[in-house]
Amino acid sequence: MADVPTPDPIPYGAWPSPITAGTVARARLRLDYPLTAHGRVWWQEARPEEGGRTTVVEHTPGDGNRQLLQAPWDARSRVHEYGGLSYLPVRSPRDGSRQIVFAHFPDQRLYLTAPHGRPPVPLTPEPAAPAALRYADFALSPDGREVWCVHERHGGTGRITRSIVAVPLDGSAAGAPDALRELAVGADFFAYPTPSPDGRRLAWICWNHPDMPWDATELRIGPADRAAATTGRPVMGAGPVREAVLAPCWRDTDTLYAASDRSGWWNLYEVDLAGHARPRALHPAEEEYAHPLWDLGGRPFAPLADGRLAVVHGRGDQRLAVLDPKTGTLTDLDCGYPVFSPALSTDRAYVVGLAGGPAKPPCVVRVDTTTGAVEELRRELDVLPDPAYLPAPRPAEFRDASGQVVHASVYPPSHPTARAPEGEPPPYVVWVHGGPTGSESGVVDLSKAYFTSRGIGVLAVDYSGSSGYGRAYRERLKGRWGVVDVADVVMAARHLAARGEADGRRLAVRGPSAGGWTALAAVTTGIATHGPVFRAATSYFGVADPRLLVAQLHDFESRYLDGLIGPLPARAESYRERSPLGHVTDDTCPVLLLHGTDDPVVPPAQAEALVRELASHGVGHLHLAFAGESHGFRAAETIARALETELAFYGRTLGFDPPGVPPVELS
């Protein structure tokens, strides 16, 4: 047999790959908020090839999947600017047919779909100003005649108020705002409107500025069978210990379940309303059974017909299990999907969720908890590339100078045939997630594979402040944003280079939103403390100046920086010291800035101000502003162009020639 010739070495970064930017863009189809009832399953589906429009899909056994909203209808809420659950299956009060209620993105009104292809009909009043009345986080009233939801009102003076309201399904409120019935008032923010089984009481979560919902919330109970709105009475979260309570769920008319991090970890508790006993932990563990409440409507646990609870739990990524509240027994369900999102829905013995793994993209799955059988209903990507091109993530822990552990995942370059020159370590890009209370996921991510299949490693860091590791880990960032996150990212990158796994002379850093802030801070303010570490930085709609951001922030996050840095004006010097804007020097590496022109969370003025400063110092940079894009790119052409530009940018700054993408010139 003839010897197989050894392929010629190809420099890292220049490996040929079948994973194109278009492949990644198509994989950005986003599935979310699956619901199930009466054997049917529904979910939201954001489609990049339609400019990011969100439709609702229904799965019926025997009939498969059916799209319920045709263009231009767009089921997407703007409550808190992040939205969340934007639809709810109901029965029409007119003819009893099964329809859906949804929030339409352009005007934010609620609509009810109509049978036989007729256009949806409005359920809520037309706002005086565009998108001034918003709705999210829906629950059906026990009598089936109303939808109870979070209502957000934007006044002409800029004042924003919220409450929980009842929206009649007969359409009477479309032309008569007084037909909207207020159920709960008295707080800055509301979530999880949850009616009791008999419809007489309502449970909800609320909180006030300056707290975020992972800092301190209250579980309140109030009557729902009277005309006057109530402030309710607190049953969890009002004590001397600050706790974040989430996701109330009624067991019966006198007992609730809820998640709370009062122990330092989000565990599940039973609340006895009749006996007024202290909440009882169902299964105490140093694991998380919930996730920070950025988007409204996702429930991390749900009741099964036999009284058990379907739950997600774990450190970092979460897996699916069944918890028996009576015995505290927790049983993992080995269904072939090791990672579940904290948004579950149940129907008798079935649980529906969004799940994936290192070799599986996110999928809507239906799991039979009695047999373990699993049915895959929809994938975010129908066909995956050859697994040889996909990186195998390796968990890693790094210790800082004080001995504290920082969590990360290492994604080495992966290719079935390409090999690099002998003795040459690969370049690495450090990925910094947003939030900053986000976290990295082990579910297959083609945007990472886009780089690793070309010979560029990825180091994803769950820096101090990330979720999934308990309250103490989250609160390491309190008052120290721009300090400990930068230190963790730099430390992890240096450790990887010291081990010989990464080329310390070819390191880049990138991140979206709060991750963009950390990336920019690492190559500006961070240089004074850590020295120059990175040769390139990429910011996806990232924060460049926290002082400017405070004046521009939307209401939900308008006091967030009080906890991350400190209240103004008392901590004004800390804002100045940590701001990337104002700290560009000759040591600042080249920077790529990618931003949407319609971003309400981190306005484009952040990137524009930094571009002017980079130019004034003669620092190489590239700025792309994408018309019509918001916070998080949604259109396929935007996603593809951003990725190709990022790859070409690393080629230019880290010293390789990536094939198949045009080179970029830096200003």
Side-chain angles (χ1 to χ4, degrees):
M1 181 181 291
D3 292 335
V4 177
T6 302
D8 292 333
I10 304 173
Y12 284 117
W15 294 356
S17 172
I19 302 174
T20 67
T23 307
V24 179
R26 289 190 296 275
R28 291 289 179 91
L29 177 112
R30 283 294 175 261
L31 309 175
D32 225 335
Y33 299 105
L35 298 176
T36 183
H38 310 296
R40 303 187 184 203
V41 180
W42 300 264
W43 60 85
Q44 291 174 203
E45 187 170 303
R47 298 178 171 180
E49 73 276 8
E50 297 184 37
R53 183 182 77 91
T54 299
T55 186
V56 177
V57 175
E58 179 185 51
H59 174 86
T60 305
D63 294 332
N65 300 340
R66 179 172 67 98
Q67 179 183 194
L68 300 183
L69 292 179
Q70 305 297 327
W73 297 102
D74 190 350
R76 184 175 160 209
S77 171
R78 285 188 59 187
V79 171
H80 297 176
E81 296 298 353
Y82 292 103
L85 177 66
S86 300
Y87 77 100
L88 185 70
V90 299
R91 286 200 178 275
S92 169
R94 294 183 176 88
D95 58 13
S97 62
R98 192 175 297 280
Q99 306 297 332
I100 59 167
V101 171
F102 68 97
H104 183 43
F105 181 68
D107 63 10
Q108 288 297 290
R109 298 175 77 182
L110 290 189
Y111 289 81
L112 177 68
T113 55
H116 312 302
R118 296 195 299 269
V121 296
L123 297 180
T124 56
E126 185 173 357
L133 302 177
R134 306 176 183 183
Y135 310 84
D137 203 352
F138 308 118
L140 188 65
S141 65
D143 63 8
R145 296 179 180 178
E146 297 173 321
V147 169
W148 295 358
C149 60
V150 176
H151 183 26
E152 182 177 274
R153 296 168 295 276
H154 293 245
T157 61
R159 183 168 180 263
I160 298 173
T161 58
R162 297 174 186 84
S163 61
I164 295 175
V165 300
V167 179
L169 286 173
D170 61 9
S172 57
D178 291 344
L180 291 180
R181 186 166 62 97
E182 277 198 319
L183 300 173
V185 296
D188 293 332
F189 301 96
F190 293 85
Y192 296 112
T194 310
S196 62
D198 60 5
R200 300 182 60 186
R201 287 190 285 187
L202 178 69
W204 68 90
I205 299 296
C206 59
W207 67 98
N208 293 302
H209 283 307
D211 287 321
M212 299 300 286
W214 44 89
D215 294 326
T217 64
E218 290 184 3
L219 166 59
R220 286 182 171 255
I221 307 292
D225 57 350
R226 66 182 188 184
T230 178
T231 58
R233 65 179 180 89
V235 295
M236 283 186 79
V241 177
R242 286 167 61 84
E243 59 182 307
V245 189
L246 300 172
C249 170
W250 293 90
R251 189 190 76 184
D252 52 46
T253 55
D254 290 317
T255 312
L256 280 159
Y257 300 124
S260 170
D261 67 350
R262 57 173 50 194
S263 70
W265 298 84
W266 265 310
N267 284 187
L268 301 187
Y269 291 81
E270 182 182 271
V271 184
D272 180 3
L273 301 178
H276 304 290
R278 289 175 57 85
R280 178 180 69 89
L282 300 181
H283 184 87
E286 292 188 347
E287 291 186 323
E288 301 281 46
Y289 285 71
H291 201 266
L293 187 65
W294 281 98
D295 306 328
L296 296 176
R299 291 182 174 269
F301 66 97
L304 297 162
D306 62 5
R308 297 180 302 162
L309 299 173
V311 304
V312 293
H313 72 107
R315 290 193 178 200
D317 281 333
Q318 295 176 313
R319 57 194 180 275
L320 181 66
V322 172
L323 174 62
D324 187 335
K326 294 180 180 179
T327 65
T329 303
L330 181 72
T331 306
D332 283 332
L333 294 176
D334 185 11
C335 59
Y337 296 81
V339 181
F340 269 75
S341 295
L344 302 179
S345 179
T346 51
D347 180 17
R348 302 185 301 276
Y350 292 91
V351 57
V352 167
L354 190 64
K360 292 182 179 179
C363 311
V364 175
V365 297
R366 184 172 184 259
V367 182
D368 186 335
T369 59
T370 58
T371 66
V374 59
E375 181 183 7
E376 188 177 289
L377 306 182
R378 181 73 159 115
R379 280 188 167 209
E380 288 192 357
L381 185 64
D382 289 333
V383 180
L384 282 174
D386 182 336
Y389 290 99
L390 301 178
R394 185 183 79 246
E397 293 184 349
F398 303 98
R399 292 190 179 273
D400 63 17
S402 66
Q404 290 191 125
V405 169
V406 174
H407 303 278
S409 294
V410 181
Y411 296 78
S414 179
H415 197 285
T417 59
R419 66 182 183 90
E422 191 71 28
E424 178 183 325
Y428 259 78
V429 180
V430 177
W431 283 46
V432 191
H433 64 71
T437 60
S439 60
E440 285 294 336
S441 171
V443 176
V444 65
D445 180 356
L446 289 194
S447 57
K448 292 185 177 75
Y450 180 74
F451 294 101
T452 58
S453 63
R454 287 169 168 79
I456 306 164
V458 168
L459 173 60
V461 182
D462 276 345
Y463 52 89
S464 299
S466 303
S467 60
Y469 307 98
R471 186 177 184 114
Y473 195 85
R474 279 201 321 274
E475 294 193 340
R476 287 186 195 175
L477 206 59
K478 284 284 187 181
R480 303 176 70 196
W481 192 43
V483 178
V484 297
D485 50 327
V486 172
D488 289 352
V489 163
V490 167
M491 180 264 297
R494 281 183 162 156
H495 272 292
L496 203 67
R499 295 176 182 177
E501 297 182 51
D503 187 343
R505 300 164 301 174
R506 294 192 293 169
L507 296 172
V509 60
R510 60 99 80 179
S513 192
W517 150 272
T518 303
L520 294 173
V523 300
T524 53
T525 58
I527 291 178
T529 304
H530 308 287
V533 178
F534 300 106
R535 297 288 300 274
T538 299
S539 168
Y540 278 78
F541 36 88
V543 177
D545 182 2
R547 297 164 297 183
L548 180 62
L549 187 66
V550 167
Q552 298 170 324
L553 268 174
H554 60 113
D555 186 60
F556 175 62
E557 294 183 87
S558 61
R559 301 291 300 278
Y560 193 11
L561 271 65
D562 285 17
L564 291 176
I565 299 177
L568 287 171
R571 296 294 300 275
E573 185 60 19
S574 295
Y575 282 71
R576 187 197 66 79
E577 290 174 349
R578 300 181 199 176
S579 173
L581 189 68
H583 289 88
V584 174
T585 69
D586 293 343
D587 290 327
T588 300
C589 66
V591 175
L592 171 61
L593 297 159
L594 305 162
H595 222 105
T597 61
D598 295 346
D599 191 335
V601 177
V602 180
Q606 292 273 319
E608 294 161 1
L610 190 61
V611 165
R612 291 191 292 270
E613 185 169 318
L614 291 165
S616 70
H617 285 268
V619 174
H621 63 279
L622 184 58
H623 175 219
L624 296 185
F626 295 100
E629 287 286 4
S630 182
H631 197 67
F633 299 155
R634 301 174 69 86
E637 57 269 23
T638 300
I639 296 165
R641 188 181 175 202
L643 268 179
E644 289 183 344
T645 303
E646 186 180 359
L647 176 61
F649 173 67
Y650 296 146
R652 177 66 183 268
T653 54
L654 303 184
F656 53 83
D657 295 315
V661 296
V664 295
E665 294 295 329
L666 304 184
S667 300

